[in-house]
Amino acid sequence: MKARELKDKFINFFVSQQHVEIPSARIIPENDPTTLFISAGMHPLVPFLLGESHPLGKRLTDVQKCVRTGDIDDVGDETHNTFFEMLGNWSLGDYFKKDMIPWSYKFLTQELKINPEHLHVTCFEGDADAPKDTESYDLWHSQGISEDRIHYLPKKDNWWGPAGSVGPCGPDTEMFIDTNPNAGPIDFVTGCKQRRIIEIWNDVFMQYYKDADGKFSEMPQKNVDTGMGVERTTAILSGFSDNYLSSIWQPIIQKIEEISHKKYSEYTKSIRIIADHIRSAVFIIADGIEPSNKEAGYVLRRLIRRAVRQGKILGIETNFISKIADAVLDNQENYAGIYPELNQNRERIISILDAEENKFRKTLNNGLREINKLIERSKSVSGKEAFTLYESFGFPVEMIQEELEKNNLSLDIDEFNQAKEDHQKLSQTLSAGKFKSGLADNSEIITKYHTTTHLLHTALRKILGDHVQQSGSNITADRLRFDFSHNEKLTDEQLKQVSDLVNQQIKSSLVVTKETIPFTQAQKEGAIAFFGSKYPEIVSVYTIGPKDSYFSKEVCTGPHVNNTNELGTFEITKEESAGSGKRRIYAILK
Ligand code: SER
């Protein structure tokens, strides 16, 4: 089956069950700016899972662009991807298990035509926090799944969330396919270990709330959150154990083969890495990110550089990344026809990729010089020095080894690995913190900074002009950070005007109101929206100030404070460049 067919079938199925299709949110979280990327379909919906009302109702479905970089080093095997698309459907306090499980069964067996005899499902076995999920078990059984193919598993396998340390969570039921039933019966756990039995869909029943003391209580709003990976499911339905053999990857892989004159069957790992990393890079750039040394920009830089390095292994010594990107951008059926941001940003994507590749090729040459200096001086490169070259220049360790070998020297790879491990532990701890504070953080102070961001956005437009557009936003409990398009450094006078204007609005006790209206009407009324993004037909609009003489009006999912007088005193703490044609402001509330 082709990916597009799977996506269409999924969306149509849920639309026929009265769900509304919503477009994918940007891959960079908008209202949860403390995490780098959207990592699951439910992630942009967190405010609604927590009770905020969604403009399009209580039944939603979508295909969401996701990026997960936690196991970037595993990319190159049959299954790992950094970018992927996740299909999902949601009940925001509407239907629950009794509807969801029969729908799941129907979709798998009737739409995807999976033989029910090849399905396995798992349910939560129960513990001190929540009882055994016998309801799900009974529902599967009544659908026709026999008892030997329904398995109870503990919390570590059959529970999802909370995404942070507190928040909505609940038991899930996961669906698996036996991909080689002809090989005879197999024990479920063994089958999973051998990757013969593979998970394809997860229905999460968000019926509990975990509080700060670790206690679980029943939530008033019971949600359903489901997730199905497009790449994996497409491959399985096409009978491939190697995800990269599915039609999703073929145009990209063919392009790499064509440029390198190397075959996928011989250079499998390198070709997979290039295909995966460039596809991710294209989507990340399309959503407004540029390579840098920080956060999402840093991830993007690493993706591009790793792809260049793999290209060298294939013998490609001139710029080729943007040509591979063309294969992604040209894919009308799967990508360009669904995500308008790809076509709209095509030139920008290509030129950013080219520039980064040039820069990295220069770095590689400089790095080679650096290594040769070390070799001349001390007849060695220590593991730690190699790690520094690797981490700060992005210089690939294999190339350091190659250079040393040319001089009959060798690298202490254990020392290198130790340095790398120490570094990874540190960054994992940091990013775990990021994820935690991110997903569930709708705390009061974050909400205040969110409303303040709207005030700042409009104040900048009023003082500097309408060319000012938000290009990024990041909020922590301590400050807001706002990136916007503007060519020059702001003068002290301009900064003062901007903060005075924001403080005036705070002092004027402006009421903040939310309306749910068609996107076209919002645009007509002058509401600010993210340029180039695809919005649902009906959106929430937040207006600050009286309806006929408002100060700010923005399309936004919220949440926001009710009145600007809750905000305190606004102060800009820093203004700096955020790349070419972009400025960045840090500000606090006191
Ligand atoms: N949140 C669940 C997952 O990521 C289902 O969408 O698997």
Side-chain angles (χ1 to χ4, degrees):
M1 183 177 289
K2 286 192 155 185
R4 181 59 187 264
E5 196 185 340
L6 171 66
K7 291 189 226 177
D8 288 347
K9 274 186 194 286
F10 189 97
I11 300 294
N12 291 341
F13 181 82
F14 284 101
V15 166
S16 74
Q17 313 295 349
Q18 287 74 52
H19 287 63
V20 177
E21 183 187 2
I22 54 172
S24 172
R26 294 169 75 234
I27 226 164
I28 310 297
E30 235 143 281
N31 293 315
D32 172 19
T34 46
T35 115
L36 295 184
F37 297 104
I38 292 294
S39 60
M42 56 77 73
H43 190 161
L45 294 170
V46 168
F48 310 106
L49 293 165
L50 288 169
E52 184 84 9
S53 79
H54 193 283
L56 291 170
K58 294 180 170 176
R59 294 185 178 197
L60 307 173
T61 182
D62 74 7
V63 193
Q64 173 64 44
K65 305 180 279 188
C66 302
V67 168
R68 288 185 188 174
T69 53
D71 31 35
I72 187 171
D73 287 322
D74 293 324
V75 174
D77 67 6
E78 294 190 326
T79 54
H80 281 89
N81 297 144
T82 48
F83 169 90
F84 62 99
E85 292 174 282
M86 192 185 273
L87 289 157
N89 64 285
W90 290 272
S91 159
L92 303 172
D94 191 35
Y95 59 83
F96 208 48
K97 299 176 189 177
K98 268 207 289 297
D99 289 304
M100 191 59 227
I101 288 178
W103 284 340
S104 294
Y105 184 82
K106 191 171 171 197
F107 181 71
L108 294 173
T109 58
Q110 293 184 15
E111 297 295 325
L112 302 187
K113 309 249 182 319
I114 295 168
N115 182 338
E117 304 277 303
H118 303 165
L119 286 174
H120 284 262
V121 298
T122 60
C123 300
F124 177 56
E125 74 173 15
D127 62 11
D129 301 321
K132 192 168 181 163
D133 189 5
T134 52
E135 188 184 355
S136 292
Y137 186 103
D138 292 342
L139 285 163
W140 284 117
H141 195 228
S142 69
Q143 291 299 305
I145 306 259
S146 58
E147 285 172 8
D148 55 327
R149 282 180 291 107
I150 312 179
H151 315 278
Y152 277 120
L153 291 176
K155 197 176 238 147
K156 76 175 172 42
D157 302 296
N158 271 70
W159 188 274
W160 207 90
S165 49
V166 298
C169 56
D172 63 33
T173 178
E174 300 180 14
M175 291 144 268
F176 296 73
I177 299 188
D178 183 349
T179 58
N180 193 7
N182 296 335
I186 191 165
D187 162 68
F188 176 70
V189 176
T190 316
C192 289
K193 276 202 192 114
Q194 292 177 357
R195 290 203 63 248
R196 177 178 141 179
I197 298 178
I198 301 177
E199 184 206 333
I200 58 160
W201 200 1
N202 182 12
D203 293 351
V204 184
F205 301 116
M206 290 190 161
Q207 68 188 105
Y208 295 98
Y209 187 89
K210 186 180 177 189
D211 66 22
D213 301 330
K215 284 211 188 72
F216 294 82
S217 53
E218 288 265 347
M219 276 202 302
Q221 173 173 318
K222 292 187 175 39
N223 308 301
V224 175
D225 151 39
T226 92
M228 176 188 273
V230 171
E231 283 72 5
R232 194 196 294 181
T233 307
T234 305
I236 293 172
L237 295 176
S238 312
F240 298 124
S241 64
D242 173 358
N243 279 3
Y244 291 84
L245 292 178
S246 86
S247 56
I248 294 181
W249 296 100
Q250 284 315 300
I252 310 175
I253 289 177
Q254 277 160 17
K255 192 68 162 248
I256 302 170
E257 288 183 321
E258 189 188 303
I259 293 172
S260 63
H261 307 290
K262 298 286 189 307
K263 285 210 175 72
Y264 177 71
S265 54
E266 286 165 39
Y267 287 82
T268 317
K269 187 172 174 191
S270 293
I271 293 183
R272 283 177 183 157
I273 295 175
I274 296 172
D276 171 84
H277 287 11
I278 298 311
R279 187 177 66 148
S280 296
V282 164
F283 275 95
I284 294 172
I285 299 173
D287 273 341
I289 302 297
E290 288 178 21
S292 73
N293 289 330
K294 268 209 222 145
E295 304 184 336
Y298 177 63
V299 173
L300 172 62
R301 169 159 285 165
R302 279 192 73 197
L303 289 167
I304 300 170
R305 295 186 166 201
R306 285 165 62 103
V308 175
R309 161 66 189 149
Q310 294 301 322
K312 277 175 126 19
I313 294 176
L314 301 186
I316 309 174
E317 289 298 344
T318 51
N319 280 17
F320 74 107
I321 297 292
S322 63
K323 292 185 198 137
I324 311 299
D326 278 333
V328 181
L329 293 163
D330 287 342
N331 189 334
Q332 186 63 27
E333 175 182 303
N334 225 0
Y335 300 131
I338 301 180
Y339 303 110
E341 62 275 20
L342 294 181
N343 270 329
Q344 277 163 7
N345 288 287
R346 186 166 188 136
E347 273 174 39
R348 204 182 124 254
I349 295 169
I350 297 295
S351 81
I352 287 176
L353 287 172
D354 254 337
E356 183 63 19
E357 185 168 8
N358 283 334
K359 209 170 180 178
F360 185 50
R361 287 189 184 279
K362 257 193 220 137
T363 300
L364 287 178
N365 291 338
N366 294 342
L368 276 179
R369 231 174 287 139
E370 198 65 29
I371 291 167
N372 285 310
K373 259 195 237 155
L374 283 171
I375 293 176
E376 256 171 50
R377 211 173 39 225
S378 51
K379 297 274 168 279
S380 76
V381 176
S382 73
K384 278 198 183 126
E385 283 165 338
F387 180 71
T388 307
L389 284 164
Y390 164 86
E391 190 52 33
S392 34
F393 289 101
F395 201 88
V397 65
E398 300 85 351
M399 287 180 70
I400 303 174
Q401 279 173 313
E402 283 161 21
E403 282 309 298
L404 285 168
E405 274 160 26
K406 278 190 209 157
N407 292 279
N408 292 323
L409 296 167
S410 63
L411 178 70
D412 183 346
I413 193 76
D414 290 338
E415 190 183 311
F416 172 85
N417 285 334
Q418 189 57 49
K420 188 171 167 186
E421 216 174 278
D422 292 347
H423 180 84
Q424 270 169 350
K425 263 192 212 130
L426 183 69
S427 50
Q428 267 160 11
T429 318
L430 292 175
S431 64
K434 223 169 204 295
F435 196 66
K436 244 189 198 159
S437 61
L439 274 182
D441 210 341
N442 278 310
S443 67
E444 206 182 326
I445 183 70
I446 299 280
T447 307
K448 284 183 182 172
Y449 274 123
H450 192 185
T451 308
T452 310
T453 299
H454 282 216
L455 291 177
L456 173 62
H457 192 179
T458 297
L460 285 165
R461 287 166 68 95
K462 288 196 195 274
I463 304 294
L464 304 175
D466 281 348
H467 62 276
V468 168
Q469 290 232 352
Q470 171 170 351
S471 59
S473 152
N474 177 289
I475 297 170
T476 70
D478 303 316
R479 54 109 180 110
L480 69 80
R481 193 183 80 197
F482 187 73
D483 294 350
F484 56 99
S485 45
H486 184 62
N487 274 323
E488 284 155 28
K489 186 169 176 54
L490 273 66
T491 63
D492 287 349
E493 180 56 28
Q494 285 170 327
L495 288 172
K496 185 173 181 315
Q497 285 173 337
V498 170
S499 53
D500 284 352
L501 191 54
V502 171
N503 279 317
Q504 267 166 30
Q505 311 316 310
I506 296 177
K507 285 213 190 79
S508 310
S509 299
L510 300 179
V511 174
V512 181
T513 44
K514 174 183 168 181
E515 300 167 275
T516 302
I517 54 175
F519 181 61
T520 46
Q521 185 188 338
Q523 277 182 310
K524 260 188 228 136
E525 290 179 8
I528 309 176
F530 227 101
F531 177 74
S533 278
K534 197 162 161 182
Y535 281 92
E537 267 170 46
I538 310 277
V539 292
S540 301
V541 172
Y542 280 87
T543 305
I544 307 180
K547 206 172 162 33
D548 48 0
S549 61
Y550 60 81
F551 180 73
S552 144
K553 199 189 234 322
E554 279 198 42
V555 176
C556 173
T557 48
H560 284 280
V561 301
N562 296 319
N563 192 301
T564 57
N565 65 15
E566 295 167 39
L567 299 178
T569 308
F570 174 79
E571 186 184 307
I572 295 177
T573 50
K574 196 172 178 186
E575 190 269 347
E576 63 185 21
S577 162
S580 79
K582 281 186 194 154
R583 305 300 302 176
R584 168 170 290 178
I585 279 179
Y586 288 89
I588 55 170
L589 286 172
K590 293 200 295 196

